[in-house]
Amino acid sequence: MLKTFFEENNIKYLENESLKKHTTFKVGGEAKFIALPSDCEQAVALLSFLKANDIKYYILGKGSNVIFRDEGFDGVIVKTANLQKIEYIDDETVYAGAGVQLSTLCKNLQEHSLKGLEFCYGIPGNVGGGLFMNAGAYGGEICSAVCEVEYIDENCEVKKIGVQDCDFSYRHSVFQGKDWFILGCKFKLTKGDSGQILSFMEDIMQRRVSKQPLDKPSAGSSFKRPVGYFAAALIEECGLKGCSIGGAQVSEKHSGFIINKGDATCADIVALAEHVEKVVLEKTGVTIEKEMIIV
Ligand SMILES: Cc1cc2nc3c(=O)[nH]c(=O)nc-3n(C[C@H](O)[C@H](O)[C@H](O)COP(=O)(O)OP(=O)(O)OC[C@H]3O[C@@H](n4cnc5c(N)ncnc54)[C@H](O)[C@@H]3O)c2cc1C
C-alpha cells in the first residue's frame, strides 16, 4: 500500500533502511520506510495519507540531535532532505526550505553579504531541525533572524506563524510537542561585509575543530546547559570524563559530548547519558537534562 502511494505520487523512498546512515551518532536499527518529499504538495499528500491510514511516522531533519533505538522504527521516517529551496524575497529577506543545511545557508548568505545567522556555521543540522530546537552557538540563536515559519498543521493545512508566536527560548520552540511539519522559514538578515562574515565563520569553525571531538560520531552536546552552570564542567568535576559504557564514551576532548567509539548501540548511549545525569545530581545537586532526542 505504502509503496504504491510513494510511486503514484513520485515521492522518493527507501525501504528497510539502516537509521545509522541517517543520524550523526550512527546508531539505531532499521526504518521500515524513509520517505523524502521534495515539495510542499508532496509533503501535504504524504502526511494526509499517513494520518488517514493511521501509519506511525517521525519527522527527521539531518539527524544531528536524534538517536533511534536499536530495534528500529516500524513506520515511516519523513525526511526533509529534499526540501532544498533557497529564495531571495528582497535584499535582506530569504526563504530557506526545511532541508537546507544551516552551514549551506550561512555560506549562501555570506556570499550575499548578509549577516544574522553566521553563528550557525558548523551546526550540522538543517533549517527545520534548527527551528525546532532553536539551535544556537557562540552567543546567537536561530530565532533572532526568524521572520515567519511556514508549516503543515495537524489537519494537513499549510500555515504561517510569525516569530512572536513561535515561543522561542533556550533550545525550545512552539514546534516541540505539536504535530506540525516545518516546510521552511523566511529569515530577515542585515547587510554586512562579506569578508568579515567569512572571517567570523572561519574563526568559529576553527574553535569547533579545536574543542569538539568532530572525528567521532555524536549528537553534539548531549546535555542542555543547566541554569547557572556548564554541563561539561559539572561532568568533569564528577570525574566522568572518558567514562564508557559499551561503545559509548564521555569524550576526553569535551566532556559535554557523548561519542560513539565505533561500535556503540543506542542502548549504550542512553545508559551512559542516564549514568552521567545520576552521578552529576548525586555529587553536585544539579539536574542536567539530555539535549538529544531518543526515538
Ligand atoms: C558535532 C555537533 C555539533 C553540534 N553543535 C550544536 C550547536 O553548536 N548548537 C546547537 O544548538 N546544536 C548543536 N548540535 C545539535 C544539532 O545539530 C541541532 O540540534 C540541530 O538544530 C538539529 O537539526 P537537525 O536537522 O539535525 O534535526 P534532527 O536531529 O533531525 O531533529 C531534531 C528534532 O527536530 C524535529 N524536526 C526536524 N525537522 C523538522 C521539521 N521540518 N518539522 C518538524 N520537526 C522537525 C525532529 O522530529 C526532532 O524532534 C550539534 C550536533 C553535532 C553532531
Side-chain angles (χ1 to χ4, degrees):
M1 176 176 77
L2 265 166
K3 283 211 259 192
T4 311
F5 171 80
F6 294 146
E7 278 152 23
E8 280 177 1
N9 288 275
N10 272 325
I11 297 175
K12 294 213 167 64
Y13 70 95
L14 302 160
E15 192 176 2
N16 298 328
E17 174 77 355
S18 170
L19 286 160
K20 289 182 187 174
K21 294 191 218 158
H22 298 270
T23 59
T24 53
F25 235 134
K26 305 207 180 304
V27 295
E30 284 188 351
K32 186 85 192 94
F33 289 104
I34 297 185
L36 297 126
S38 55
D39 57 27
C40 173
E41 288 68 35
Q42 286 195 352
V44 169
L46 174 60
L47 293 168
S48 306
F49 182 83
L50 295 172
K51 282 172 197 273
N53 292 285
D54 220 3
I55 297 167
K56 183 167 115 176
Y57 66 90
Y58 189 78
I59 302 166
L60 185 66
K62 194 70 185 160
S64 63
N65 204 41
V66 167
I67 50 172
F68 289 98
R69 304 238 178 227
D70 302 309
E71 51 272 32
F73 188 83
D74 187 23
V76 178
I77 301 291
V78 181
K79 191 167 170 174
T80 61
N82 288 347
L83 298 169
Q84 282 294 333
K85 186 157 90 174
I86 298 185
E87 189 182 3
Y88 281 77
I89 294 160
D90 61 39
D91 278 1
E92 298 186 345
T93 316
V94 179
Y95 175 92
V100 174
Q101 279 197 45
L102 290 171
S103 289
T104 306
L105 179 61
C106 291
K107 197 75 192 56
N108 193 301
L109 296 174
Q110 177 267 322
E111 281 159 11
H112 285 80
S113 304
L114 287 173
K115 62 179 184 177
L117 278 178
E118 56 281 4
F119 56 84
C120 283
Y121 193 61
I123 299 179
N126 291 347
V127 165
L131 293 166
F132 185 95
M133 294 302 300
N134 188 21
Y138 301 102
E141 285 181 330
I142 194 168
C143 62
S144 63
V146 171
C147 187
E148 180 180 86
V149 181
E150 186 186 29
Y151 66 99
I152 302 170
D153 77 1
E154 57 276 26
N155 301 313
C156 296
E157 285 171 17
V158 178
K159 298 262 174 74
K160 287 175 183 157
I161 184 170
V163 63
Q164 69 285 354
D165 295 320
C166 288
D167 195 26
F168 286 121
S169 60
Y170 173 69
R171 300 298 175 267
H172 174 81
S173 72
V174 72
F175 307 105
Q176 296 173 13
K178 293 261 191 214
D179 179 19
W180 293 353
F181 179 98
I182 299 165
L183 282 166
C185 179
K186 216 195 265 181
F187 292 102
K188 183 86 183 142
L189 296 313
T190 51
K191 280 279 172 206
D193 179 274
S194 126
Q196 278 178 9
I197 300 168
L198 183 62
S199 318
F200 178 80
M201 282 165 37
E202 285 171 349
D203 176 49
I204 59 172
M205 186 57 97
Q206 240 345 91
R207 288 198 250 165
R208 282 182 182 274
V209 170
S210 67
K211 294 205 173 104
Q212 301 180 357
L214 300 183
D215 56 329
K216 290 280 184 285
S218 78
S221 296
S222 299
F223 304 95
K224 291 184 189 172
R225 196 178 58 230
V227 179
Y229 298 91
F230 288 102
L234 292 169
I235 293 166
E236 214 161 305
E237 190 185 314
C238 292
L240 290 164
K241 191 174 201 163
C243 173
S244 294
I245 293 185
Q249 184 183 39
V250 175
S251 165
E252 302 266 11
K253 191 168 176 184
H254 187 313
S255 307
F257 279 54
I258 291 181
I259 55 159
N260 176 355
K261 286 193 282 179
D263 56 355
T265 60
C266 180
D268 293 339
I269 294 164
V270 174
L272 181 58
E274 284 172 357
H275 174 68
V276 169
E277 284 168 348
K278 184 167 164 280
V279 174
V280 169
L281 179 62
E282 277 168 9
K283 292 199 177 173
T284 68
V286 181
T287 301
I288 55 169
E289 190 196 335
K290 285 184 264 314
E291 181 169 324
M292 58 193 171
I293 298 161
I294 302 150
V295 184

